[in-house]
Amino acid sequence: MSVLQLSLAAKSAAPALAAAGSQLKNKALFSIADALEESISDILAANQKDIQNAEAAGISKSLIDRLSLTESRIRSIADAVRQVCNLEDPVGQVLGGSVRPNGLNIRKVSVPLGLVGIIYEARPNVTVDAAALCLKSGNACLLRGGKEAINSNIALISVMRKAVGAVGLPEDAVSFITDTSRNSATEMMRLSGVLDVLIPRGGAGLISSVVNNSTVPVIETGTGNCHIYIDSSADIDMAANIAANAKCSRPSVCNAAETFLVHKSCAEDFLNKVKPLLDNYSVEIYGCDITQSILGSCVIPATDEDFSTEYLDYKVAIKVVDSIDEAIDHINKYGTRHSECIVTRDYFAANSFSQRVDAAAVYVNASTRFTDGGEFGLGAEIGISTQKLHARGPMGLSHLTTYKYIISGDGQIR
């Protein structure tokens, strides 16, 4: 089927989802979770094809990790779907209202967006997370993953569509575009009047292309050029642990840190403390002149481009700064408004950083890796919004709804 045909089929399924009650939607989600676990061998076989293709294409180990599925990961994905069942249904919530002097009863009620399009790259878990969140929030979805995970995604979609159909909901509520060419992405961006919203999840190039070319309303997500600033008053052991965790625990995700900014007064102590932790993961360091003088020839001279880069790999840029003001200016210049951190024991420094840094999530003495729907108590997430309208930060169920006004009267005319 063409992209247009797939989108129209998904659009026709949207009203059934919007009208479905919590019990039926949860039944569909449980059906999906059980079916995923029953199909582990088939899903792993498909995923192995993707891994072999990725290795042959020379894709980095960190990106292959994002692509890879194991039995444990599939069971975790299924458990995440079950957890969505336990979340409050965001549809039908009365968000506000009033009775006017003329007797009109006005209620503001949450409703699904309709048909949600999602363009994403190499993580097959996104296929399941996105479908589960859309189903729970009463939305049909049209998904388009990257070529790296095409076999995995086809297997996952097949399992989910059958599971949804088995409980009486239309299979087309979960639709997937198998064409991974640029043309299919461009066609999605031109589905104004069919798609109600388009959400890109992936690298800076993908997100920029969608934001700049789509005629469909876009929720901008994902690009994470995140920073850890080590203030002059920081606990150095804490700072090193936070920085290493933010960089190394999973470098291929958008909440991983890409740049360390270090106050000059503690630069030598911090850099010598964090270097062995980075060495455990063979992290490449791109540093300023002072960083080079402290750590030596292992440091690659940093360029302006290095400070602008979302590495998504075992690489980090380091700059020694004269003040917190310089650190904040650097973040606001190079950051992508995702997640930023200060490590400090100074209340006033923490407060200044929190107020002046422009980001969806600002941390004081904690790793940026916590920017996640599950960690924020939202359940699975559809993405991390870095824009300021509609949604910002981790996007959970409530962010996949809009609202309508329902007005009840008794013959009033104007």
Side-chain angles (χ1 to χ4, degrees), residues 206-244:
L206 169 65
I207 293 168
S208 176
S209 176
V210 174
V211 169
N212 291 327
N213 296 300
S214 180
T215 62
V216 178
V218 173
I219 297 178
E220 184 175 354
T221 69
T223 307
N225 189 13
C226 307
H227 300 74
I228 308 291
Y229 167 56
I230 315 305
D231 189 42
S232 59
S233 69
D235 178 310
I236 297 301
D237 287 332
M238 177 192 291
N241 287 332
I242 288 173

Side-chain angles (χ1 to χ4, degrees), residues 184 264 296 349 359 367 411:
S184 66
K264 62 182 180 182
S367 172

Side-chain angles (χ1 to χ4, degrees), residues 116-188:
V116 177
I118 304 170
I119 300 179
Y120 54 102
E121 295 181 327
R123 294 172 65 184
N125 65 295
V126 173
T127 302
V128 181
D129 288 347
L133 284 170
C134 286
L135 282 170
K136 179 73 177 194
S137 56
N139 295 290
C141 60
L142 179 64
L143 309 178
R144 190 264 188 198
K147 63 180 183 296
E148 298 84 0
I150 185 61
N151 294 294
S152 306
N153 285 335
I154 289 174
L156 292 168
I157 286 292
S158 176
V159 170
M160 289 193 292
R161 283 173 61 90
K162 291 176 183 176
V164 168
V167 302
L169 287 172
E171 290 188 6
D172 288 333
V174 180
S175 293
F176 182 78
I177 298 171
T178 57
D179 179 1
T180 60
S181 69
R182 289 187 179 181
N183 289 339
S184 66
T186 300
E187 285 185 66
M188 279 189 78

Side-chain angles (χ1 to χ4, degrees), residues 98-106 408 412:
S98 63
V99 178
R100 303 299 299 150
N102 61 3
L104 286 179
N105 187 324
I106 300 175
S408 300
Q412 289 89 338

Side-chain angles (χ1 to χ4, degrees), residues 47-363:
N47 183 246
Q48 191 58 39
K49 294 178 183 178
D50 290 327
I51 293 172
Q52 291 171 353
N53 292 338
E55 290 172 342
I59 292 176
S60 70
K61 290 183 178 179
S62 61
L63 290 180
I64 289 177
D65 176 65
R66 295 182 84 174
L67 170 64
S68 299
L69 293 173
T70 62
E71 179 175 345
S72 175
R73 285 188 178 183
I74 294 172
R75 292 192 185 279
S76 294
I77 291 169
D79 286 340
V81 174
R82 294 187 181 101
Q83 290 169 19
V84 173
C85 296
N86 297 325
L87 298 174
E88 185 177 10
D89 192 331
V91 177
Q93 300 290 325
V94 178
L95 306 175
S98 63
V99 178
R100 303 299 299 150
N102 61 3
L104 286 179
N105 187 324
I106 300 175
R107 289 179 297 142
K108 182 181 179 182
V109 180
S110 60
V111 296
L113 291 168
L115 177 56
V116 177
I118 304 170
I119 300 179
Y120 54 102
E121 295 181 327
R123 294 172 65 184
N125 65 295
V126 173
T127 302
V128 181
D129 288 347
L133 284 170
C134 286
L135 282 170
K136 179 73 177 194
S137 56
N139 295 290
C141 60
L142 179 64
L143 309 178
R144 190 264 188 198
K147 63 180 183 296
E148 298 84 0
I150 185 61
N151 294 294
S152 306
N153 285 335
I154 289 174
L156 292 168
I157 286 292
S158 176
V159 170
M160 289 193 292
R161 283 173 61 90
K162 291 176 183 176
V164 168
V167 302
L169 287 172
E171 290 188 6
D172 288 333
V174 180
S175 293
F176 182 78
I177 298 171
T178 57
D179 179 1
T180 60
S181 69
R182 289 187 179 181
N183 289 339
S184 66
T186 300
E187 285 185 66
M188 279 189 78
M189 297 178 210
R190 296 290 185 265
L191 290 174
S192 179
V194 182
L195 285 182
D196 291 288
V197 66
L198 184 57
I199 303 174
R201 287 190 61 170
L206 169 65
I207 293 168
S208 176
S209 176
V210 174
V211 169
N212 291 327
N213 296 300
S214 180
T215 62
V216 178
V218 173
I219 297 178
E220 184 175 354
T221 69
T223 307
N225 189 13
C226 307
H227 300 74
I228 308 291
Y229 167 56
I230 315 305
D231 189 42
S232 59
S233 69
D235 178 310
I236 297 301
D237 287 332
M238 177 192 291
N241 287 332
I242 288 173
N245 174 266
K247 175 69 266 181
C248 303
S249 62
R250 199 169 183 191
S252 61
V253 294
C254 62
N255 57 22
E258 306 292 14
T259 298
F260 301 158
L261 302 172
V262 192
H263 193 281
K264 62 182 180 182
S265 66
C266 62
E268 187 167 356
D269 287 345
F270 170 76
L271 292 175
N272 285 320
K273 179 71 71 170
V274 80
K275 178 65 164 54
L277 302 181
L278 300 179
D279 286 344
N280 289 335
Y281 297 88
S282 301
V283 175
E284 292 182 8
I285 298 175
Y286 299 78
C288 65
D289 291 343
I290 299 176
T291 302
Q292 295 171 60
S293 69
I294 294 172
L295 295 181
S297 60
C298 66
V299 178
I300 303 166
T303 65
D304 191 67
E305 183 179 355
D306 293 318
F307 292 117
S308 304
T309 299
E310 183 189 24
Y311 292 109
L312 300 174
D313 204 347
Y314 289 109
K315 300 178 181 181
V316 68
I318 301 178
K319 181 179 182 180
V320 177
V321 297
D322 290 335
S323 65
I324 187 174
D325 293 331
E326 184 181 351
I328 291 171
D329 287 345
H330 181 103
I331 291 170
N332 286 339
K333 177 180 179 180
Y334 293 99
T336 52
R337 298 174 179 170
H338 192 295
S339 300
E340 309 293 355
C341 167
I342 180 174
V343 184
T344 185
R345 287 178 291 193
D346 185 327
Y347 168 82
F348 296 102
N351 191 51
S352 178
F353 187 90
S354 299
Q355 289 183 342
R356 295 165 58 196
V357 165
D358 185 10
V362 179
Y363 291 84

